[in-house]
Amino acid sequence: MNFNTSSSPNQDLEPARLPSHVAIIMDGNGRWAKKRLLNRIKGHEKGVEAVRATVRACRELGIANLTLYAFSTENWHRPKSEITALMTLLKTFLESEEKELMENNIRLNAIGQIERLPGDVQQALHKIMTLTKKNSSMLLNLALSYGARDEILKMVKEIAKKAKIGTIDPDSITSELVCEHLYTKEIPDPDLLIRTSGEMRLSNFLLWQIAYSEIYITDTLWPDFGKDELIEILKNYQRRERRFGKIES
Ligand code: IPE
Ligand code: IPE
Ligand code: MG
């Protein structure tokens, strides 16, 4: 298979200043296929290869947390045939990655409405999450049937219920308490958000968590994304000054 594992000049990267969490909106599979007069599904198949290359690259570079937006709550409105193909690809991916994730000490986690996924996909997901749960070199976090507004609504309902029965005092609700009720409760906020295929929008991804993320949008279509471009983006990230509202230090 044509994985993008070419060795890249990454000596200019400062290991101590790597983002601890990279989140990616993997967009452009359909356009990649259309450009080649292929079926959209071929684009998604090629997109899986870019996922493998990106996971490998992040592990090699030492990124501790990688979140990939693979399927949104809005994506349920696509044609049934495309949804079925995406779910089949997802299941095959989960089954095929066991060895590589174990060998590389990578933990797989999922965020989103997992209960909406087909039963066999849920089973494959639980199997690999259980298998990899003690792995500690990197977290691969897949956003599946994920929508930030859904996540925020879920958090509001949980906190409101606790307030109603008296286990939470509404006056003492903090940002930390909100974070504890999000899918991402165990993960730091993304330092870097990447979107492929040039769209200047967030498409309902991690709205709370990206409050201070650095954003990088590339025109590259997701199936063409790989390690070399990731390194260039990380170099760009390391040249930025993150001020968090303060003045230059
Ligand atoms: C991203 O590629 C994959 C998913 C959203 C599942 P698209 O399928 O959105 O590709 P484009 O945007 O049509 O090119
Ligand atoms: C965002 O891509 C969702 C994922 C990458 C899973 P979309 O292709 O669904 O987003 P829009 O429709 O262009 O906003
Ligand atoms: Mg798209």
Side-chain angles (χ1 to χ4, degrees):
M1 276 192 258
N2 180 25
F3 299 145
N4 182 1
T5 49
S6 60
S7 61
S8 315
N10 55 359
Q11 56 269 38
D12 295 342
L13 281 177
E14 288 180 51
R17 291 184 57 245
L18 279 172
S20 135
H21 184 179
V22 175
I24 308 183
I25 302 175
M26 309 183 291
D27 198 14
N29 294 351
R31 275 162 285 172
W32 183 93
K34 196 173 176 196
K35 261 172 64 180
R36 291 163 178 78
L37 305 177
L38 296 168
N39 184 296
R40 293 178 57 83
I41 310 306
K42 290 282 172 217
H44 295 312
E45 285 172 11
K46 192 76 184 163
V48 175
E49 292 186 25
V51 169
R52 288 200 181 96
T54 303
V55 172
R56 275 184 196 165
C58 284
R59 174 68 179 86
E60 281 166 29
L61 294 167
I63 304 292
N65 302 281
L66 171 66
T67 297
L68 298 177
Y69 200 9
F71 193 86
S72 73
T73 46
E74 288 72 24
N75 290 150
W76 289 114
H77 300 296
R78 292 194 179 193
K80 196 168 176 289
S81 55
E82 182 167 343
I83 295 174
T84 305
L86 281 167
M87 292 300 150
T88 305
L89 273 175
L90 173 59
K91 183 172 169 249
T92 314
F93 171 79
L94 294 170
E95 289 169 350
S96 63
E97 292 322 280
E98 277 188 13
K99 189 166 171 275
E100 177 143 358
L101 295 183
M102 290 311 289
E103 278 173 9
N104 290 294
N105 199 23
I106 300 172
R107 176 159 78 95
L108 189 138
N109 180 51
I111 60 170
Q113 306 164 328
I114 304 309
E115 67 289 349
R116 277 182 85 179
L117 301 173
D120 57 344
V121 176
Q122 288 190 44
Q123 272 175 12
L125 203 51
H126 284 131
K127 184 165 179 253
I128 196 143
M129 281 168 58
T130 308
L131 183 74
T132 62
K133 75 171 182 225
K134 296 219 168 81
N135 291 352
S136 55
S137 290
M138 179 176 135
L139 172 69
L140 169 59
N141 197 34
L142 295 183
L144 300 169
S145 188
Y146 174 86
R149 286 189 169 179
D150 161 73
E151 178 182 39
I152 290 169
L153 274 174
K154 187 171 129 345
M155 171 273 291
V156 169
K157 284 181 194 166
E158 284 174 15
I159 294 182
K161 280 182 196 158
K162 289 181 186 170
K164 193 176 171 194
I165 60 168
T167 51
I168 284 177
D169 169 10
D171 287 326
S172 53
I173 295 173
T174 58
S175 295
E176 288 73 25
L177 186 83
V178 167
C179 292
E180 280 165 27
H181 289 80
L182 298 176
Y183 292 125
T184 48
K185 57 177 177 279
E186 292 159 26
I187 319 168
D189 287 343
D191 301 290
L192 174 62
L193 171 72
I194 300 170
R195 182 170 187 144
T196 57
S197 91
E199 307 290 0
M200 302 283 179
R201 56 178 171 259
L202 295 171
S203 302
N204 203 11
F205 190 44
L206 300 175
L207 297 182
W208 170 279
Q209 297 88 337
I210 57 166
Y212 256 106
S213 305
E214 295 296 323
I215 299 175
Y216 191 103
I217 295 176
T218 168
D219 285 335
T220 303
L221 303 174
W222 176 251
D224 293 325
F225 191 83
K227 184 176 182 181
D228 292 352
E229 184 163 12
L230 178 67
I231 289 173
E232 288 312 310
I233 295 172
L234 291 171
K235 284 181 190 168
N236 175 290
Y237 167 86
Q238 292 194 330
R239 287 194 294 272
R240 298 187 190 185
E241 188 193 4
R242 300 185 75 188
R243 287 191 290 277
F244 300 99
K246 301 171 199 160
I247 57 169
E248 246 176 278
S249 52

Short mmCIF file of all heavy atoms in Angstrom, two decimals, residues 76-113:
data_model
loop_
_atom_site.label_atom_id
_atom_site.label_comp_id
_atom_site.label_asym_id
_atom_site.label_seq_id
_atom_site.Cartn_x
_atom_site.Cartn_y
_atom_site.Cartn_z
N TRP A 76 -24.88 12.27 8.90
CA TRP A 76 -25.99 11.29 8.81
C TRP A 76 -26.97 11.69 7.71
O TRP A 76 -27.78 10.88 7.28
CB TRP A 76 -26.73 11.17 10.14
CG TRP A 76 -25.97 10.47 11.23
CD1 TRP A 76 -25.51 11.04 12.39
CD2 TRP A 76 -25.58 9.08 11.28
NE1 TRP A 76 -24.85 10.09 13.15
CE2 TRP A 76 -24.88 8.89 12.50
CE3 TRP A 76 -25.75 7.99 10.42
CZ2 TRP A 76 -24.36 7.65 12.87
CZ3 TRP A 76 -25.22 6.76 10.80
CH2 TRP A 76 -24.54 6.60 12.01
N HIS A 77 -26.91 12.95 7.26
CA HIS A 77 -27.83 13.39 6.20
C HIS A 77 -27.30 13.09 4.80
O HIS A 77 -27.91 13.47 3.81
CB HIS A 77 -28.11 14.90 6.34
CG HIS A 77 -28.74 15.25 7.65
ND1 HIS A 77 -29.99 14.80 8.02
CD2 HIS A 77 -28.28 15.97 8.71
CE1 HIS A 77 -30.28 15.24 9.23
NE2 HIS A 77 -29.26 15.95 9.68
N ARG A 78 -26.17 12.43 4.69
CA ARG A 78 -25.66 12.03 3.36
C ARG A 78 -26.45 10.82 2.86
O ARG A 78 -27.16 10.16 3.62
CB ARG A 78 -24.17 11.67 3.48
CG ARG A 78 -23.33 12.90 3.79
CD ARG A 78 -21.86 12.64 3.58
NE ARG A 78 -21.12 13.87 3.88
CZ ARG A 78 -19.86 14.07 3.57
NH1 ARG A 78 -19.17 13.14 2.94
NH2 ARG A 78 -19.26 15.21 3.88
N PRO A 79 -26.30 10.51 1.55
CA PRO A 79 -27.04 9.33 1.03
C PRO A 79 -26.69 8.07 1.81
O PRO A 79 -25.54 7.90 2.24
CB PRO A 79 -26.54 9.23 -0.42
CG PRO A 79 -26.01 10.58 -0.75
CD PRO A 79 -25.51 11.18 0.53
N LYS A 80 -27.70 7.20 1.94
CA LYS A 80 -27.52 5.98 2.74
C LYS A 80 -26.34 5.15 2.23
O LYS A 80 -25.57 4.58 3.01
CB LYS A 80 -28.82 5.16 2.70
CG LYS A 80 -28.91 4.11 3.76
CD LYS A 80 -30.32 3.54 3.85
CE LYS A 80 -30.39 2.40 4.86
NZ LYS A 80 -29.71 1.19 4.37
N SER A 81 -26.18 5.12 0.90
CA SER A 81 -25.11 4.29 0.34
C SER A 81 -23.72 4.79 0.78
O SER A 81 -22.82 4.01 1.05
CB SER A 81 -25.20 4.28 -1.19
OG SER A 81 -25.19 5.61 -1.67
N GLU A 82 -23.58 6.13 0.87
CA GLU A 82 -22.28 6.68 1.30
C GLU A 82 -22.05 6.39 2.78
O GLU A 82 -20.94 6.04 3.20
CB GLU A 82 -22.21 8.19 1.01
CG GLU A 82 -20.84 8.75 1.40
CD GLU A 82 -20.56 10.16 0.87
OE1 GLU A 82 -21.24 10.62 -0.06
OE2 GLU A 82 -19.62 10.79 1.40
N ILE A 83 -23.13 6.53 3.58
CA ILE A 83 -23.00 6.25 5.02
C ILE A 83 -22.60 4.80 5.24
O ILE A 83 -21.68 4.49 6.01
CB ILE A 83 -24.32 6.58 5.77
CG1 ILE A 83 -24.61 8.09 5.67
CG2 ILE A 83 -24.25 6.13 7.22
CD1 ILE A 83 -25.95 8.52 6.23
N THR A 84 -23.25 3.90 4.51
CA THR A 84 -22.94 2.47 4.66
C THR A 84 -21.48 2.20 4.29
O THR A 84 -20.76 1.48 5.01
CB THR A 84 -23.87 1.63 3.75
OG1 THR A 84 -25.21 1.99 4.09
CG2 THR A 84 -23.68 0.14 3.96
N ALA A 85 -21.03 2.81 3.20
CA ALA A 85 -19.63 2.60 2.78
C ALA A 85 -18.67 3.15 3.83
O ALA A 85 -17.65 2.51 4.16
CB ALA A 85 -19.39 3.27 1.43
N LEU A 86 -18.99 4.32 4.39
CA LEU A 86 -18.11 4.90 5.42
C LEU A 86 -18.05 4.02 6.66
O LEU A 86 -16.98 3.82 7.25
CB LEU A 86 -18.61 6.31 5.80
CG LEU A 86 -18.26 7.42 4.83
CD1 LEU A 86 -19.06 8.68 5.13
CD2 LEU A 86 -16.76 7.74 4.90
N MET A 87 -19.21 3.46 7.04
CA MET A 87 -19.24 2.61 8.24
C MET A 87 -18.46 1.31 8.00
O MET A 87 -17.77 0.82 8.89
CB MET A 87 -20.70 2.29 8.65
CG MET A 87 -21.45 3.50 9.15
SD MET A 87 -20.66 4.21 10.62
CE MET A 87 -21.10 5.94 10.46
N THR A 88 -18.56 0.77 6.79
CA THR A 88 -17.81 -0.45 6.46
C THR A 88 -16.30 -0.16 6.50
O THR A 88 -15.52 -0.94 7.05
CB THR A 88 -18.23 -0.96 5.06
OG1 THR A 88 -19.64 -1.13 5.08
CG2 THR A 88 -17.57 -2.29 4.72
N LEU A 89 -15.92 0.98 5.93
CA LEU A 89 -14.50 1.37 5.95
C LEU A 89 -14.00 1.55 7.38
O LEU A 89 -12.88 1.14 7.71
CB LEU A 89 -14.31 2.70 5.20
CG LEU A 89 -14.09 2.63 3.71
CD1 LEU A 89 -14.03 4.05 3.14
CD2 LEU A 89 -12.76 1.92 3.40
N LEU A 90 -14.84 2.14 8.21
CA LEU A 90 -14.47 2.38 9.60
C LEU A 90 -14.24 1.05 10.33
O LEU A 90 -13.23 0.87 11.01
CB LEU A 90 -15.58 3.20 10.28
CG LEU A 90 -15.47 3.41 11.79
CD1 LEU A 90 -14.16 4.12 12.14
CD2 LEU A 90 -16.66 4.24 12.30
N LYS A 91 -15.17 0.11 10.11
CA LYS A 91 -15.05 -1.19 10.77
C LYS A 91 -13.77 -1.90 10.30
O LYS A 91 -13.00 -2.42 11.12
CB LYS A 91 -16.29 -2.04 10.45
CG LYS A 91 -16.29 -3.37 11.15
CD LYS A 91 -17.62 -4.09 10.96
CE LYS A 91 -17.51 -5.52 11.45
NZ LYS A 91 -17.56 -6.49 10.38
N THR A 92 -13.53 -1.89 9.01
CA THR A 92 -12.33 -2.54 8.46
C THR A 92 -11.08 -1.88 9.03
O THR A 92 -10.11 -2.56 9.40
CB THR A 92 -12.32 -2.41 6.92
OG1 THR A 92 -13.61 -2.75 6.45
CG2 THR A 92 -11.30 -3.33 6.29
N PHE A 93 -11.11 -0.56 9.11
CA PHE A 93 -9.95 0.16 9.67
C PHE A 93 -9.70 -0.28 11.11
O PHE A 93 -8.57 -0.62 11.48
CB PHE A 93 -10.19 1.68 9.60
CG PHE A 93 -9.17 2.49 10.35
CD1 PHE A 93 -7.92 2.74 9.78
CD2 PHE A 93 -9.43 3.00 11.61
CE1 PHE A 93 -6.96 3.47 10.45
CE2 PHE A 93 -8.47 3.74 12.30
CZ PHE A 93 -7.23 3.97 11.72
N LEU A 94 -10.76 -0.30 11.92
CA LEU A 94 -10.59 -0.65 13.34
C LEU A 94 -10.03 -2.05 13.48
O LEU A 94 -9.16 -2.31 14.32
CB LEU A 94 -11.94 -0.53 14.07
CG LEU A 94 -12.51 0.88 14.17
CD1 LEU A 94 -13.95 0.85 14.69
CD2 LEU A 94 -11.64 1.76 15.09
N GLU A 95 -10.50 -2.96 12.63
CA GLU A 95 -10.03 -4.35 12.72
C GLU A 95 -8.58 -4.49 12.24
O GLU A 95 -7.83 -5.30 12.77
CB GLU A 95 -10.97 -5.27 11.92
CG GLU A 95 -12.31 -5.43 12.62
CD GLU A 95 -13.36 -6.09 11.75
OE1 GLU A 95 -13.14 -6.27 10.54
OE2 GLU A 95 -14.43 -6.42 12.29
N SER A 96 -8.22 -3.68 11.24
CA SER A 96 -6.88 -3.84 10.66
C SER A 96 -5.79 -3.15 11.47
O SER A 96 -4.61 -3.42 11.26
CB SER A 96 -6.87 -3.31 9.23
OG SER A 96 -7.13 -1.92 9.26
N GLU A 97 -6.17 -2.26 12.38
CA GLU A 97 -5.13 -1.47 13.08
C GLU A 97 -4.64 -2.08 14.38
O GLU A 97 -3.70 -1.57 14.99
CB GLU A 97 -5.64 -0.04 13.36
CG GLU A 97 -5.84 0.81 12.14
CD GLU A 97 -4.79 0.62 11.06
OE1 GLU A 97 -3.69 1.18 11.18
OE2 GLU A 97 -5.07 -0.10 10.08
N GLU A 98 -5.27 -3.17 14.83
CA GLU A 98 -4.93 -3.76 16.14
C GLU A 98 -3.42 -3.90 16.33
O GLU A 98 -2.86 -3.42 17.31
CB GLU A 98 -5.55 -5.16 16.26
CG GLU A 98 -6.98 -5.14 16.69
CD GLU A 98 -7.52 -6.53 16.99
OE1 GLU A 98 -6.73 -7.49 17.10
OE2 GLU A 98 -8.75 -6.64 17.11
N LYS A 99 -2.79 -4.57 15.34
CA LYS A 99 -1.37 -4.88 15.48
C LYS A 99 -0.53 -3.60 15.58
O LYS A 99 0.27 -3.46 16.50
CB LYS A 99 -0.95 -5.72 14.26
CG LYS A 99 0.43 -6.31 14.35
CD LYS A 99 0.60 -7.39 13.27
CE LYS A 99 2.04 -7.87 13.18
NZ LYS A 99 2.86 -7.03 12.32
N GLU A 100 -0.78 -2.70 14.65
CA GLU A 100 0.04 -1.48 14.62
C GLU A 100 -0.15 -0.63 15.89
O GLU A 100 0.81 -0.09 16.43
CB GLU A 100 -0.30 -0.67 13.36
CG GLU A 100 0.47 0.63 13.31
CD GLU A 100 0.93 1.04 11.92
OE1 GLU A 100 0.68 0.31 10.95
OE2 GLU A 100 1.54 2.12 11.82
N LEU A 101 -1.40 -0.55 16.36
CA LEU A 101 -1.64 0.25 17.58
C LEU A 101 -0.95 -0.38 18.78
O LEU A 101 -0.35 0.31 19.61
CB LEU A 101 -3.14 0.40 17.84
CG LEU A 101 -3.95 1.19 16.80
CD1 LEU A 101 -5.41 1.32 17.23
CD2 LEU A 101 -3.37 2.57 16.56
N MET A 102 -0.99 -1.71 18.87
CA MET A 102 -0.34 -2.39 20.00
C MET A 102 1.18 -2.24 19.90
O MET A 102 1.84 -1.92 20.88
CB MET A 102 -0.73 -3.87 20.04
CG MET A 102 -2.18 -4.11 20.45
SD MET A 102 -2.70 -3.22 21.94
CE MET A 102 -1.81 -4.10 23.20
N GLU A 103 1.72 -2.46 18.70
CA GLU A 103 3.18 -2.36 18.53
C GLU A 103 3.70 -0.97 18.85
O GLU A 103 4.82 -0.80 19.32
CB GLU A 103 3.57 -2.70 17.08
CG GLU A 103 3.66 -4.19 16.85
CD GLU A 103 3.89 -4.55 15.37
OE1 GLU A 103 4.14 -3.64 14.54
OE2 GLU A 103 3.78 -5.74 15.07
N ASN A 104 2.87 0.03 18.60
CA ASN A 104 3.31 1.41 18.81
C ASN A 104 2.77 2.04 20.09
O ASN A 104 2.89 3.24 20.30
CB ASN A 104 2.95 2.26 17.59
CG ASN A 104 3.79 1.88 16.40
OD1 ASN A 104 5.00 2.08 16.41
ND2 ASN A 104 3.17 1.26 15.40
N ASN A 105 2.16 1.20 20.92
CA ASN A 105 1.70 1.66 22.25
C ASN A 105 0.69 2.82 22.15
O ASN A 105 0.76 3.79 22.90
CB ASN A 105 2.93 2.06 23.08
CG ASN A 105 2.63 2.11 24.56
OD1 ASN A 105 1.68 1.47 25.04
ND2 ASN A 105 3.41 2.88 25.30
N ILE A 106 -0.22 2.73 21.16
CA ILE A 106 -1.21 3.79 20.93
C ILE A 106 -2.57 3.36 21.48
O ILE A 106 -3.04 2.26 21.20
CB ILE A 106 -1.34 4.11 19.43
CG1 ILE A 106 0.01 4.57 18.85
CG2 ILE A 106 -2.42 5.16 19.17
CD1 ILE A 106 0.04 4.72 17.34
N ARG A 107 -3.18 4.24 22.26
CA ARG A 107 -4.53 3.97 22.78
C ARG A 107 -5.56 4.58 21.83
O ARG A 107 -5.38 5.71 21.38
CB ARG A 107 -4.69 4.60 24.17
CG ARG A 107 -6.09 4.47 24.75
CD ARG A 107 -6.08 4.63 26.25
NE ARG A 107 -5.96 6.00 26.69
CZ ARG A 107 -7.01 6.79 27.01
NH1 ARG A 107 -8.24 6.33 26.92
NH2 ARG A 107 -6.81 8.03 27.42
N LEU A 108 -6.58 3.82 21.53
CA LEU A 108 -7.66 4.35 20.67
C LEU A 108 -8.87 4.67 21.54
O LEU A 108 -9.27 3.86 22.39
CB LEU A 108 -8.02 3.36 19.58
CG LEU A 108 -8.98 3.92 18.52
CD1 LEU A 108 -8.56 3.48 17.13
CD2 LEU A 108 -10.42 3.51 18.77
N ASN A 109 -9.43 5.85 21.32
CA ASN A 109 -10.63 6.26 22.05
C ASN A 109 -11.60 6.85 21.02
O ASN A 109 -11.20 7.21 19.92
CB ASN A 109 -10.25 7.32 23.10
CG ASN A 109 -11.42 7.80 23.89
OD1 ASN A 109 -12.19 7.01 24.42
ND2 ASN A 109 -11.60 9.11 23.97
N ALA A 110 -12.88 6.88 21.36
CA ALA A 110 -13.87 7.48 20.44
C ALA A 110 -14.69 8.50 21.19
O ALA A 110 -15.00 8.31 22.37
CB ALA A 110 -14.76 6.40 19.86
N ILE A 111 -15.03 9.59 20.51
CA ILE A 111 -15.92 10.59 21.10
C ILE A 111 -17.10 10.80 20.15
O ILE A 111 -16.94 10.71 18.93
CB ILE A 111 -15.22 11.94 21.40
CG1 ILE A 111 -14.64 12.57 20.12
CG2 ILE A 111 -14.14 11.77 22.45
CD1 ILE A 111 -14.15 14.01 20.33
N GLY A 112 -18.28 11.04 20.72
CA GLY A 112 -19.45 11.26 19.88
C GLY A 112 -20.57 10.32 20.28
O GLY A 112 -20.51 9.64 21.31
N GLN A 113 -21.60 10.31 19.43
CA GLN A 113 -22.79 9.49 19.73
C GLN A 113 -22.54 8.05 19.27
O GLN A 113 -23.11 7.60 18.28
CB GLN A 113 -24.00 10.05 18.97
CG GLN A 113 -24.28 11.52 19.22
CD GLN A 113 -25.22 12.09 18.16
OE1 GLN A 113 -25.22 11.68 17.00
NE2 GLN A 113 -26.02 13.06 18.55
#
